[in-house]
Amino acid sequence: MKNIVIFGAPGSGKGTQSDLMVQKYGLNHISTGDVLRAEIKKGTELGKTAASFIDKGNLIPDDLMISILAKVYDSFGDHKGVIFDGFPRTIPQAEALKKMLDERGDKVAAMIELDVPEAELMTRLIKRGEDSGRADDNEETIKKRLQVYHQQTQPLIEWYKQEGLHYHINGHGTLERIFADICQVIEKI
């Protein structure tokens, strides 16, 4: 089983590369943002609890997020592996994910980091905002999101290095070259 954490700053191409991995390898994909929106839309108990935090502008507590991820993970039944996109974002979340998978006799096989220069991230996100109309893809918000990424999320790189699971990918270049580099990692693990 190839459970993969896809990792990178906002705009690094995690969603795009995840879609390609799903197509080529038949992996399942869990985007935490998509999962939360779906649970809230369905009106589930988990969704209602999540909404109570989100509506106040607060982050979802780690235990609730793991509970939601576990529910989705278990719903896949027998599978080839899962791409975790947008989770973990902190070391305690990485530890909780490891524990949740351990309880199922599974593990993370690799953390694939898409490394993109900050100037390129800004360009990509501003363009995405113009193309999609996403309100959070404006210069001021992007700068805040990148600052949070550097302060809270980037320390995970060292954590996954210590776990022996970190794979660095140059995320700047052609889509095809980046995906070919990811494929080399997946086929090695």
Side-chain angles (χ1 to χ4, degrees), residues 123-181:
T123 301
R124 288 181 186 182
L125 290 168
I126 288 170
K127 179 169 179 11
R128 184 175 80 181
E130 291 167 354
D131 293 347
S132 71
R134 271 184 62 166
D136 60 339
D137 284 340
N138 64 69
E139 192 168 345
E140 184 180 334
T141 305
I142 293 165
K143 284 180 181 175
K144 286 180 188 170
R145 288 166 57 204
L146 291 173
Q147 183 179 10
V148 167
Y149 169 78
H150 291 304
Q151 290 172 347
Q152 297 178 14
T153 307
Q154 208 166 17
L156 276 172
I157 294 169
E158 284 306 311
W159 191 87
Y160 277 107
K161 281 181 181 176
Q162 290 174 4
E163 293 281 307
L165 300 173
H166 173 263
Y167 295 87
H168 178 271
I169 301 288
N170 176 356
H172 186 58
T174 68
L175 189 70
E176 296 77 18
R177 197 267 313 145
I178 296 165
F179 186 59
D181 290 352

Side-chain angles (χ1 to χ4, degrees), residues 23-41:
Q23 290 170 20
K24 181 165 182 166
Y25 296 104
L27 302 172
N28 291 294
H29 179 218
I30 300 176
S31 163
T32 52
D34 292 348
V35 168
L36 289 173
R37 285 186 287 277
E39 290 291 320
I40 292 167
K41 189 175 180 180

